[in-house]
């Protein structure tokens, strides 16, 4: 028997986490000098967090240390169960070096137990999409090998596009220059980004204003989407509910009977993309 893990950077809502029987590794963030660990929205005031950002607060995020990974993993192994962990993209964080060191220690201490991890090469609900469908297989009784094979097929067919409202936050993260930030914000340019096959975030396009950017993202779904009527489509937003609802309605109008779920972006991801961000996650032919 094994336990299925994900981390809070998968952004699955806390009710789904409980329904699916997932173990969650909570990732940290700091705002106004206080450290928190994201709880998948259970007791998090998303609006208050993004209002603080709008007011000038600069939240930060950090990697977990080895002690934290040990506290998550060892009790499971000690009671005679194995671990399978679907992670967010290893290309986006150094936290997995600490994780790998802990796994090596635990394999020496519990040689009869198995610990596997799968890099989703995604972040936010891009990772959440993969975790969600992986968890359904887990609940159906899939073995580790069967889950490996299923995820290896699903990962390259899961894509996410998102548009940011304010270039300030991409500038802070080193993704745009100061000049691009200044003129982009002044001209209302909304960059469109996606996560590539290596799990890295790249700027793929830009739209003049949010309406144009969302129109372009809908076009990506039309040209790259596959079996979108058989999988959920997630629309994500950073305290931009009205725009997210409008975008979801436009997707339903374009694609007919599809299952669109709207999901808030949490503080860890929100610290990097900033308030107002809108994104879409769907099953695709290829990223």
């Amino acid at each position: 028997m094994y336990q299925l893990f994900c981390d809070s950077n998968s952004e699955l809502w806390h009710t789904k986490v409980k329904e699916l029987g997932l173990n969650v590794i909570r990732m940290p963030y700091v705002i106004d000098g206080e450290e928190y660990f994201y709880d998948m929205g259970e007791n998090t005031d998303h609006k208050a967090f993004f209002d603080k950002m709008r007011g000038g607060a600069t939240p930060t995020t950090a990697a977990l240390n080895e002690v934290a990974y040990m506290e998550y993993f060892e009790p499971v192994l000690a009671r005679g169960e194995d671990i399978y962990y679907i992670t967010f993209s290893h290309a986006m964080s150094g936290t997995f070096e600490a994780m790998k060191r802990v796994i090596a220690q635990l394999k020496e201490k519990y040689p009869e137990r198995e610990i596997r991890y799968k890099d989703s090469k995604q972040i936010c609900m891009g990772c959440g999409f993969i975790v969600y469908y992986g968890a359904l297989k887990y609940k159906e009784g899939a073995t580790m090998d069967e889950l490996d094979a299923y995820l290896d097929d699903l990962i390259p067919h899961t894509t996410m596009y998102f548009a940011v409202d304010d270039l300030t936050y991409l500038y802070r993260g080193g993704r745009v220059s100061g000049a691009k930030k200044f003129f982009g914000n002044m001209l209302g340019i909304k960059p469109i980004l996606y996560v590539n096959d290596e799990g890295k975030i790249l700027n793929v396009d830009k739209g003049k204003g949010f309406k144009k950017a969302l129109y372009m993202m809908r076009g990506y779904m039309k040209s790259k989407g596959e079996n979108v009527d058989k999988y959920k489509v997630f629309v994500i937003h950073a305290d931009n509910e009205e725009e997210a609802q409008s975008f979801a309605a436009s997707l339903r109008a374009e694609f007919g009977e599809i299952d669109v779920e709207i999901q808030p972006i949490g503080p860890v991801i929100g610290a990097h993309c900033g308030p107002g961000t809108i994104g879409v996650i769907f099953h695709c032919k290829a990223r």
Side-chain angles (χ1 to χ4, degrees):
M1 182 178 178
Y2 67 97
Q3 290 291 314
L4 186 61
F5 278 75
C6 68
D7 51 64
S8 59
N9 283 351
S10 71
E11 297 266 318
L12 275 176
W13 200 241
H14 64 95
T15 54
K16 272 196 171 58
V17 165
K18 292 168 185 171
E19 289 169 9
L20 295 168
L22 288 162
N23 300 276
V24 179
I25 295 173
R26 296 185 177 188
M27 293 296 170
Y29 64 98
V30 175
I31 189 165
D32 293 340
E34 293 288 330
E35 184 177 49
Y36 303 89
F37 291 83
Y38 186 47
D39 62 359
M40 316 304 264
E42 187 166 11
N43 296 294
T44 302
D45 188 336
H46 293 75
K47 180 169 178 52
F49 174 83
F50 287 112
D51 279 346
K52 285 182 179 181
M53 288 188 75
R54 292 184 180 101
T58 305
T60 59
T61 61
L64 284 183
N65 58 35
E66 292 181 29
V67 172
Y69 282 111
M70 189 69 75
E71 289 174 348
Y72 279 111
F73 291 156
E74 185 164 22
V76 177
L77 303 176
R79 64 176 183 256
E81 296 179 292
D82 298 325
I83 290 170
Y84 195 113
Y85 173 20
I86 305 173
T87 77
F88 73 95
S89 173
H90 290 207
M92 294 188 195
S93 175
T95 193
F96 298 109
E97 294 309 311
M99 178 199 75
K100 290 172 186 176
R101 289 193 293 270
V102 167
I103 288 174
Q105 294 172 43
L106 290 171
K107 283 185 174 180
E108 286 188 9
K109 188 172 182 180
Y110 301 92
E112 73 284 4
R113 301 268 58 88
E114 188 165 6
I115 309 172
R116 293 193 197 183
Y117 57 87
K118 180 69 66 177
D119 182 356
S120 71
K121 300 187 187 321
Q122 277 286 1
I123 192 73
C124 193
M125 279 305 299
C127 178
F129 183 102
I130 292 161
V131 170
Y132 175 76
Y133 283 103
L136 291 182
K137 288 293 179 184
Y138 169 74
K139 284 179 70 69
E140 289 172 4
T143 64
M144 283 187 166
D145 288 341
E146 289 168 340
L147 188 55
D148 264 339
Y150 178 76
L151 293 176
D152 284 341
D153 180 68
L154 182 64
I155 287 168
H157 294 286
T158 302
T159 194
M160 175 175 69
Y161 290 87
F162 61 101
V164 300
D165 187 40
D166 188 333
L167 289 169
T168 299
Y169 309 102
L170 293 182
Y171 167 69
R172 287 176 183 167
R175 299 196 179 277
V176 299
S177 68
K180 283 186 177 179
K181 173 182 79 74
F182 176 78
F183 288 108
N185 282 344
M186 184 174 68
L187 296 172
I189 299 299
K190 309 301 179 187
I192 301 171
L193 302 99
Y194 87 116
V195 183
N196 71 2
D197 284 327
E198 297 175 2
K200 297 177 180 178
I201 295 176
L202 299 179
N203 190 335
V204 67
D205 216 328
K206 58 183 179 294
K208 180 72 180 295
F210 240 118
K211 296 298 182 187
K212 178 64 173 177
L214 297 183
Y215 170 82
M216 294 168 74
M217 288 199 295
R218 195 162 65 246
Y220 286 126
M221 185 167 158
K222 188 170 184 178
S223 63
K224 298 190 71 171
E226 179 182 64
N227 297 324
V228 294
D229 58 332
K230 296 181 174 64
Y231 291 84
K232 288 182 181 293
V233 174
F234 290 97
V235 170
I236 54 174
H237 71 94
D239 194 30
N240 198 354
E241 175 80 23
E242 186 175 345
E243 197 74 74
Q245 291 285 357
S246 176
F247 184 46
S250 75
L251 294 178
R252 294 185 186 103
E254 177 82 26
F255 296 97
E257 294 297 320
I258 59 172
D259 183 3
V260 183
E261 289 194 14
I262 297 173
Q263 168 78 47
I265 293 171
V268 179
I269 307 302
H272 298 282
C273 66
T277 297
I278 297 283
V280 62
I281 297 93
F282 56 92
H283 190 271
C284 63
K285 299 168 190 171
R287 285 195 195 181

